[in-house]
Amino acid sequence: MKPLVVLLLAALASAGASARGDLSAEDLQRVRGITAPTRDFSAPEAFETMQAGAATVKKLINADIFSHASANLSFEGRQQFLVGNGLFRKDWVSAPSSTQASDGLGPLFNARSCQACHVKDGRGTVPGFDPLARTDAVALLLRLSVPPATEAERRALSSGELAALPEPVYGAQLQNFAVAGLPSEGRIAVEYTPITVRLAGGETAILMRPAYRIEDLGYGPMRADTQISPRLAPPMIGLGLLEAIHEDDILAHAAADKGDGISGKPNWVHDLRTGAKVLGRFNWKAGQPTVEQQSAAAFSNDMGLSSPLFPSHHGDCTAAQQACFDMPHGAQPHLGEHEVPARLMDFVSFYSNNLAVPQRRDPDDARVLAGKKLFYEANCIGCHVPKYVTRRDAKQPEHQFQLIWPYTDLLLHDMGEGLADGVSEGQANGREWRTPPLWGIGLTAVVNPNATYLHDGRARSLLEAILWHGGEAQAARDRVVAMTPAERADLIRFLESL
């Protein structure tokens, strides 16, 4: 085994030695043993097929594979899941409407439903690489921010009171749709420049570098120093289990020496329910701490719908958009003070927390095992940490003490200039991104044949996604470039088995 792998395995083993106040001494010893990185690539590890523990589903592989409830839900839990599913899929309409439980959309918005962005609970779709086949951007959003100009703004950012400063006229996100009688904020335009990358063995790959601009601004010019960050809707599976990973385990990986200059960093964010500063886990820059808060933020920013955590009925409207505030909202006194009342928000959060991870495919295939060994040797597991045992005291019984295989550390990493957006979010700077989970990634195209990869969908294949890695991941990326064509094929075969 290569010296780097020996170093890395030692680092991961020490990272597993976290405090874990939820475990007895006996349990902690068991957890350390089972989450220690493997040294044997001749056969699958115990329980490796069940990526999400008892929550893993064994279903027919088709376009609905990401839309099943966790396998260990109770009958009552399945009922809640189905109600949440209906809310996740339903189209909201503008107010006033005869369908009072479904109105309040906007006034500015990006989509009419959650499902419109998360296609069949998987990845969203970018407008398209072929200019002749472009579609409106729905799942691809543009976050907007400006640099601080005053001491008060700098204090608000450094204290965590604000994750970013919104653009004064257009707010924190560009909304490219609006209700009748109101102009939308603008339209996303993308142009791609091909980049040729030469690989060992005589192969080449073509990467597509995107350049973004905003056209047809509806409310006058933006500030000249506005920073934009494209964000593509990610898959929804396994979110509740990610929330159930113990904070100590995540922070232990931040402190471990992973080699190659890898230094994972937590993003400490504001929990709107408790008021505390807590570990961020969700979103491309780990800007949200819980599934509930991430869901409520999406209702507000993407659809302009109010909820207990985001009570504004007008979403991301700004003071410079008075016509937006003059539009009617959809809150109904007999249903509650918000357009998405607490009970409905609970159903959506429960649904989002319990979308199941499918079981692995062919983990005992010789080529898959060879690719797994290469994944380790390239130091991909320096960030894509394979496995955890979730908290004994997780909020939901079905998420408690489960051995899971998400392949992420949920930490921020400098991914280099090629992927940089220049936009800060909390402690995440313009070159840093959260390590995305890899479970289910091999079924991406089954769920959405038009889906692509990375935070803005620029990568059309898993190999392209790897080749965009830079910064802390540069050494791992270069090892993939140096592999033989057969080895690269094995590595991709392993990823496709997840």
Side-chain angles (χ1 to χ4, degrees):
M1 191 172 287
K2 296 180 180 180
L4 172 64
V5 180
V6 175
L7 171 66
L8 181 59
L9 294 180
L12 288 175
S14 66
S18 56
R20 290 295 298 265
D22 62 313
L23 300 179
S24 66
E26 181 182 1
D27 277 348
L28 183 58
Q29 184 175 4
R30 289 171 57 203
V31 167
R32 288 177 180 175
I34 201 166
T35 58
T38 186
R39 297 170 182 264
D40 179 8
F41 301 98
S42 65
E45 299 172 66
F47 314 113
E48 189 174 4
T49 301
M50 304 296 284
Q51 295 191 96
T56 309
V57 292
K58 307 174 184 179
K59 297 286 187 179
L60 181 68
I61 301 300
N62 58 27
D64 295 318
I65 190 61
F66 285 175
S67 298
H68 298 290
S70 294
N72 58 347
L73 278 184
S74 65
F75 176 79
E76 293 78 9
R78 289 179 180 276
Q79 295 300 107
Q80 292 183 62
F81 179 89
L82 290 173
V83 176
N85 181 28
L87 294 168
F88 195 85
R89 291 172 181 271
K90 85 167 180 174
D91 287 333
W92 294 80
V93 298
S94 58
S97 169
S98 59
T99 56
Q100 293 185 355
S102 298
D103 69 353
L105 178 71
L108 300 170
F109 62 96
N110 295 99
R112 293 180 178 272
S113 69
C114 306
Q115 191 76 197
C117 291
H118 302 276
V119 178
K120 287 188 171 292
D121 305 296
R123 280 176 167 76
T125 304
V126 297
F129 293 93
D130 182 353
L132 299 178
R134 292 288 168 83
T135 59
D136 286 332
V138 174
L140 183 68
L141 310 173
L142 289 186
R143 293 286 180 83
L144 308 175
S145 63
V146 294
T150 67
E151 186 58 37
E153 290 175 343
R154 282 186 280 272
R155 282 198 304 270
L157 292 172
S158 62
S159 69
E161 178 186 345
L162 291 175
L165 288 174
E167 203 281 334
V169 174
Y170 291 89
Q173 184 169 300
L174 183 80
Q175 279 85 26
N176 47 339
F177 298 104
V179 299
L182 196 69
S184 65
E185 290 189 319
R187 184 171 60 86
I188 301 172
V190 192
E191 292 183 359
Y192 293 95
T193 302
I195 301 172
T196 300
V197 179
R198 300 194 180 282
L199 310 173
E203 294 185 335
T204 60
I206 305 297
L207 305 185
M208 302 296 281
R209 181 186 296 279
Y212 298 91
R213 66 181 186 276
I214 302 172
E215 299 179 343
D216 304 327
L217 289 171
Y219 297 86
M222 282 186 178
R223 259 179 55 171
D225 57 353
T226 300
Q227 302 160 318
I228 64 173
S229 178
R231 307 286 178 89
L232 184 66
M236 299 287 294
I237 58 173
L239 299 184
L241 290 166
L242 295 178
E243 191 170 324
I245 296 174
H246 201 287
E247 181 181 287
D248 288 349
D249 285 346
I250 298 171
L251 297 180
H253 284 293
D257 180 6
K258 303 294 187 70
D260 290 335
I262 294 172
S263 56
K265 185 176 86 174
N267 196 0
W268 297 101
V269 300
H270 189 56
D271 188 321
L272 296 178
R273 183 166 289 282
T274 66
K277 189 176 281 192
V278 298
L279 182 68
R281 299 169 187 251
F282 303 105
N283 242 333
W284 288 104
K285 295 206 176 196
Q288 297 292 353
T290 64
V291 174
E292 177 194 31
Q293 187 163 316
Q294 166 60 26
S295 300
F299 270 120
S300 178
N301 292 330
D302 302 351
M303 292 182 281
L305 294 164
S306 58
S307 66
L309 292 183
F310 291 83
S312 172
H313 299 316
H314 297 89
D316 193 34
C317 295
T318 70
Q321 299 168 325
Q322 185 56 48
C324 186
F325 288 96
D326 293 338
M327 290 290 180
H329 60 74
Q332 309 294 333
H334 65 287
L335 297 175
E337 58 182 306
H338 305 108
E339 292 161 323
V340 187
R343 183 62 173 149
L344 297 188
M345 196 69 240
D346 288 345
F347 280 123
V348 173
S349 297
F350 189 87
Y351 174 77
S352 301
N353 268 300
N354 290 286
L355 280 159
V357 178
Q359 68 177 344
R360 283 278 303 280
R361 279 97 41 226
D362 303 320
D364 57 349
D365 180 88
R367 301 273 57 86
V368 169
L369 290 167
K372 179 180 177 181
K373 185 172 185 288
L374 291 163
F375 188 83
Y376 274 61
E377 290 178 346
N379 201 5
C380 300
I381 61 171
C383 301
H384 291 284
V385 175
K387 51 188 170 174
Y388 300 85
V389 172
T390 58
R391 303 181 66 110
R392 274 281 195 196
D393 55 355
K395 296 176 187 176
Q396 193 176 316
E398 292 85 354
H399 299 156
Q400 293 173 359
F401 209 57
Q402 298 294 315
L403 173 62
I404 63 173
W405 306 71
Y407 288 89
T408 177
D409 59 7
L410 296 176
L411 294 169
L412 299 169
H413 295 275
D414 182 333
M415 294 300 293
E417 193 58 36
L419 290 178
D421 64 351
V423 174
S424 297
E425 184 176 339
Q427 277 78 49
N429 67 36
R431 292 167 56 101
E432 291 176 327
W433 300 95
R434 183 204 67 159
T435 306
L438 297 181
W439 54 10
I441 199 165
L443 297 172
T444 297
V446 174
V447 175
N448 178 5
N450 296 314
T452 49
Y453 305 90
L454 298 178
H455 68 279
D456 57 1
R458 70 176 67 184
R460 298 164 296 175
S461 68
L462 292 173
L463 179 59
E464 285 186 30
I466 294 168
L467 296 177
W468 274 111
H469 283 49
E472 295 173 37
Q474 183 71 41
R477 177 259 188 204
D478 290 347
R479 293 184 188 106
V480 175
V481 170
M483 291 177 183
T484 67
E487 287 173 332
R488 279 193 297 274
D490 287 346
L491 176 64
I492 299 302
R493 181 82 178 270
F494 164 69
L495 293 174
E496 290 174 343
S497 79
L498 297 179

